[in-house]
Amino acid sequence: MAADTGFIPVRPQPPVKRGSLISVIRTVRDNVIAAWGQEAYERAHIQYRMLLRRILLANDPAIIRHVMLDNWGNYPRDPLGQRILEPGLGNGLLTSSGADWKRQRRMLAPIFSPRRVQAFGPLMVECAAALGNRLHNGAPVDMADAMMHATLDIIARSMFGADADTDVSAVGAAMDAYQVTVRPGVADLIGLPEWFPRPGAAKGRAALAAMDAIINDLIGRRRKAIANGRPAGDDMLGLLLAARDEEGDGTGLNDAEIRDQMATFFLAGHETTATALAWCWYLLAHDTAVESRLHAEIDAVLPGRDPVWGDMEKLPYTRMVIEEAMRLYPPAHSTSRVALADDRIGDLTIKAGTAVIISPWLMHRHKLYWKNPERFDPENFSPTASAARPRFVYLPFGAGPRICIGMGFAMAEAVLILATLARRFRFRMAQGAVVTPIAKITLRPQPGLPMVAQSR
């Protein structure tokens, strides 16, 4: 039932007491956010061991700043996270480290410059409007699935604009299979050596076979066209093929490197935005006061038309709704680093080898930093509230040098899609629908988001 104010959205209830090691491992494998006890939402940091692994849960913005910014070179990505992502993403920007990561970041930064992102704005609106044209009053729709298809269409056409006739639906299916297949195993969670067999990696690579076939075919076709005198193109594939390390040795990316970047773009540029938007529709369906204010802003700015790029600065409340949805349901719900050398932050000692867990899911709902952490309230992102909030409390795109390179693309996409569809429709939960957040690689609603479209 919709409420006018103070909606408290669904989340897994913290366990009353810590279970056995086996039960904790099983919970972490299936839904990591369900494993956190109430103390994780209340304390600044917690240190514990899971057999061979020494773990620090960092809920203090000073610790997070130190790990992700001030001394970030001492805290590379945790091998556990690498083992989950590398089978699918290879050695792309999200998984690489050291000098290789710096080279990739330099080469990819121009692709996500404000000028480049703005050029994709009309495509974002076109794909959202196409979805709206397929809906009608009273139509049942799984909005999680609809957002996946819309953002897949956008990222595919952004990446392969010159080859837009390619059917990339298999890419979305491969990403779904990958999320189900790849998860941390017992060997990972208790800290067994890397040589210990881990069958999940092979399953993850198999799940993405169809995606790899599509990507490799597109790379080969584009390389052949370039060899025949055709320009590389100004879509993302063309930009990747043309990229050079001007500050380094002047080399470009080879086919394997381009494949890894494209797989990364698919996951980070399609999955995360779709998930954030799905949670927006869930939250709006349960709070008519917020929804009415959103509609009032959209109606004032967009009288009878879809948005254009210049409208985004006139839609501050629309952006606030998205930011609040990402607070309550951050698509990238957790990350971890591992200390290379002993370190000290104030009175806290961090031993070499310690896994430092930074969880946006916890930080965004933490009692130390939010007045009503469980309540849906876009006013958390008013200019006044945002200015008063400490840095490193809100982390939907990470922080420090490794902050998401596609943040501008993702926020523009989310604002334009939300405004385009909310101008035409409101969405209500299907009767009897029960939704639960499940933390796989991203934080998805399960079993989807069954809703009904209502024309405005």
Side-chain angles (χ1 to χ4, degrees):
M1 179 177 178
D4 286 334
T5 58
F7 173 56
I8 307 296
V10 64
R11 74 170 172 95
Q13 289 303 306
V16 176
K17 61 181 180 179
R18 182 174 291 275
S20 67
L21 178 62
I22 296 300
S23 67
V24 170
I25 288 174
R26 185 180 295 115
T27 301
V28 170
R29 286 197 315 163
D30 293 341
N31 189 11
V32 64
I33 63 172
W36 296 118
Q38 188 58 38
E39 65 177 358
Y41 297 86
E42 298 173 354
R43 292 176 55 183
H45 68 268
I46 302 172
Q47 290 181 296
Y48 60 97
R49 294 187 72 97
M50 186 175 285
L51 288 187
L52 302 179
R53 280 174 63 86
R54 184 184 292 112
I55 298 171
L56 166 66
L57 173 62
N59 285 337
D60 184 334
I63 299 174
I64 295 173
R65 177 190 174 103
H66 183 87
V67 169
M68 302 189 83
L69 179 61
D70 296 338
N71 196 25
W72 73 284
N74 189 50
Y75 295 94
R77 285 187 175 275
D78 187 346
L80 169 58
Q82 296 293 91
R83 281 193 288 270
I84 293 172
L85 294 174
E86 279 185 351
L89 304 186
N91 192 43
L93 190 62
L94 196 61
T95 50
S96 58
S97 59
D100 189 27
W101 172 82
K102 291 180 181 178
R103 171 179 173 266
Q104 292 185 36
R105 185 85 181 196
R106 286 196 304 268
M107 296 176 71
L108 298 183
I111 296 176
F112 293 97
S113 69
R115 180 179 65 86
R116 290 289 187 188
V117 172
Q118 182 174 351
F120 294 120
L123 173 61
M124 297 171 181
V125 175
E126 179 185 339
C127 292
L131 170 60
N133 292 339
R134 293 193 296 270
L135 297 173
H136 60 270
N137 187 48
V141 56
D142 182 336
M143 286 302 286
D145 185 64
M147 293 300 95
M148 288 289 181
H149 280 86
T151 58
L152 178 62
D153 194 17
I154 290 168
I155 197 64
R157 293 174 62 185
S158 298
M159 288 205 295
F160 312 132
D163 299 289
D165 58 332
T166 301
D167 180 9
V168 296
S169 58
V171 173
M175 284 294 178
D176 286 341
Y178 184 55
Q179 291 236 29
V180 172
T181 301
V182 181
R183 57 182 180 173
V186 174
D188 299 310
L189 296 172
I190 66 176
L192 291 181
E194 291 193 25
W195 52 259
F196 194 87
R198 290 173 168 85
K203 292 180 180 178
R205 284 189 291 270
L208 293 182
M211 184 190 79
D212 283 347
I214 291 171
I215 290 178
N216 291 331
D217 176 64
L218 286 164
I219 294 172
R221 285 162 52 189
R222 190 69 63 88
R223 288 238 189 243
K224 184 176 180 180
I226 293 170
N228 291 331
R230 193 178 110 183
D234 56 3
D235 54 17
M236 289 185 183
L237 175 55
L239 296 172
L240 285 170
L241 287 164
R244 294 292 181 271
D245 184 14
E246 303 294 351
E247 296 181 30
D249 58 10
T251 59
L253 299 167
N254 61 39
D255 286 3
E257 290 174 319
I258 291 175
R259 176 269 171 209
D260 292 347
Q261 302 303 348
M262 292 171 74
T264 300
F265 292 172
F266 265 120
L267 179 65
H270 141 60
E271 173 86 23
T272 54
T273 307
T275 302
L277 283 164
W279 288 116
C280 281
W281 299 118
Y282 164 79
L283 292 165
L284 289 167
H286 288 85
D287 196 316
T288 56
V290 170
E291 183 188 55
S292 294
R293 183 172 170 184
L294 172 75
H295 286 160
E297 175 180 86
I298 290 172
D299 292 346
V301 175
L302 307 173
R305 64 174 177 84
D306 288 331
V308 296
W309 186 266
D311 292 321
M312 284 195 293
E313 64 183 19
K314 306 170 190 174
L315 296 167
Y317 194 72
T318 304
R319 185 184 181 97
M320 287 162 60
V321 169
I322 296 165
E323 290 173 324
E324 175 70 348
M326 290 192 297
R327 179 185 75 83
L328 289 165
Y329 296 107
H333 52 83
S334 309
T335 187
S336 60
R337 304 288 189 265
V338 62
L340 294 180
D342 291 352
D343 198 6
R344 191 169 182 84
I345 308 172
D347 295 332
L348 176 65
T349 298
I350 302 177
K351 295 289 187 181
T354 298
V356 182
I357 297 176
I358 297 168
S359 172
W361 168 266
L362 293 175
M363 288 298 291
H364 294 180
R365 292 172 176 262
H366 205 284
K367 291 188 175 182
L368 290 176
Y369 313 117
W370 305 90
K371 183 177 180 182
N372 293 297
E374 297 297 329
R375 179 187 169 198
F376 173 49
D377 183 7
E379 287 300 317
N380 283 316
F381 294 92
S382 69
T384 300
S386 295
R389 186 165 48 250
R391 288 183 65 193
F392 300 95
V393 167
Y394 182 62
L395 305 161
F397 296 102
R402 296 194 71 120
I403 194 168
C404 176
I405 197 172
M407 177 172 59
F409 185 101
M411 283 306 302
E413 182 180 30
V415 169
L416 292 172
I417 291 175
L418 185 63
T420 299
L421 291 176
R423 184 181 72 80
R424 305 189 196 184
F425 298 98
R426 58 174 55 88
F427 297 93
R428 292 291 178 262
M429 298 300 299
Q431 187 173 2
V434 177
V435 174
T436 302
I438 301 292
K440 301 292 186 182
I441 295 177
T442 57
L443 187 65
R444 289 182 167 189
Q446 190 165 301
L449 195 57
M451 305 190 86
V452 177
Q454 295 180 358
S455 299
R456 293 188 57 221

